Amino acid sequence: MSIGSNAAEFDDEFLFECFVHHPAVQRSIDPGHAGMILDGRTGAGKTAIVRYIINNNNHCHELEPLNMAMNYVANSDILNFLHTIGADLDLFFQTLWKHVLCIEYIRLRWDITDESSSRSIFDKLCDRFGGDPRKKKSLSYLKEWESKFWITMDQNIKELTEKMENKLEIELGGETHKIKSRGQYAKQLSTDKKSELISRARKVISADQLAELAGVIDILSDNDDGKSYYGGRNYYILIDKLDEHWVDTSIRFRLIRALIESLKAFRRISNLKLIVCMRSDILERVLQETKNLSFQREKYEDYFLRIEWNKALLTDLINKIIRTLFRKQYSPSTNLEFTDVFAYNVGSVDPMDYMLDRTLMRPRDIIAFVNQCLKVSDGTYEISAAKIKQAEKEYSRIRRDALEQEWLSAFPTLKRLLDFVASAKKESFSIDKLVEDKSAEKCALEIAADPKIDFDPIHAAAIAYIEGGGEPMVFVKEALSILYRVGAIGVKLRTNERISYSHLDEPSIAPSVIPDAARVRIHPMLHSALAFSPI
């Protein structure tokens, strides 16, 4: 038996029938709620919520990043050149997103399917707002696209990018040929020349187009029925799979940052709800990559919908799935639940408590653990404590591999860091042990020898320790801060406090606040994978 797939996109058998109404679900559906960014770790349920919204609403559309031709932007010679010499393309990226979202809302709102209906909607908007001089520029912007509201999104993006390239070619004049013909032209330029070209490009990549789009959003806002979620028709635009390879890494995180900054403008359209799925590690990488661009997480707190689970919600989910599984397998009247199948404590610990303690409190983790228990118990009527322990060995190994893959984008040296704390050979220890037995020096040497990775904070700390004569404790605290962030360890900062974990408490701990006397506990989900001896 199996209680479903670890991934919601492949789990039609159980997803809708066993759906648990997490608080984030209602907030996602409600256009009146400010939350637009579904923030959660992989396996927390973001895709499940998106699929639920699509399944239960007729007026929604999911934008597929892979179908948006963003690589056309990434492959532009002129835009690549400007990015290389330090020009800020953020305004252009915001223009792309706002244009895409405006066009998609127009298409969805008026059910546009061909050129004729596209032109008809523009005529209606002109009739209504043509007499308002404040909306003249925005109507002119829509006029350019009046026959193209129905064309595919990749065509829209290509055309918008081509228009920007043409304007830049005119502004940069003779430099354009050099940019396209000389592969290393950017490296040949003086600082003054770069500044001059950036200044000229800024005249083209200005806030004017964003202002026109803000006016378009105002027109769309003024044209909604004013009822929104109080009985009117609501529209949903959903964006998922931003963690996939939908665009070259060189611009992906700046594009995501621009998307986040673009979302709040659409709050003015009362019958539209935008939902963007954002994996926690991707958000971390966005912050690392764009920290020099004054991107502050705090400014967007109201727009985040964090998916956090507790024992009651996860138990409800597992009970629903097991009940559904046995009813399909045997009889519609079968009413078995978790406690009927997992009938024995593990030592003195309730089996659900034992298993949840070895998860990061996510559906994917507990589903994977239960499936592993079912696998090793094939042919028996109940799952014993011994079978749970047996299943835990493979489950723990898989969890370690999954953790390394999940955070590879943000912390590519995570595998080395896990080996580093495993060298303590205890599941709980004081952090000074990592300094005393020279394991910190060994780890730092390995990381410092790796090719430089600008966005990985531990690489700089390793170089400072090995080559700059830094304190080993500084390196250790940087490593522990990362391990805490990803959920691999818990940290006890003071003797009178309990152990804190990122999935239960503060999501991150700065290295500077970790005292020298702090204690570390490896998360129980990794105990078997790291083969610890008892405390």
Side-chain angles (χ1 to χ4, degrees), residues 26-36 234-238 267 269-275 305:
Q26 188 56 42
R27 294 167 191 159
S28 299
I29 294 171
D30 182 4
H33 194 281
M36 293 185 282
N234 295 322
Y235 303 89
Y236 298 89
I237 297 175
L238 310 120
R267 285 278 298 142
I269 305 177
S270 62
N271 62 5
L272 171 64
K273 189 63 183 273
L274 299 175
I275 293 294
L305 289 168

Side-chain angles (χ1 to χ4, degrees), residues 165-184:
E165 288 176 317
N166 292 336
K167 290 179 182 178
L168 286 168
E169 286 185 11
I170 292 170
E171 177 61 37
L172 298 178
E175 299 294 332
T176 303
H177 176 70
K178 298 174 185 176
I179 291 168
K180 292 183 176 181
S181 61
R182 301 183 191 176
Q184 301 295 314

Side-chain angles (χ1 to χ4, degrees), residues 300-313:
Y300 301 91
E301 278 300 316
D302 290 343
Y303 300 101
F304 282 90
L305 289 168
R306 290 192 168 80
I307 307 177
E308 297 171 342
W309 292 77
N310 56 36
K311 178 183 176 181
L313 286 168

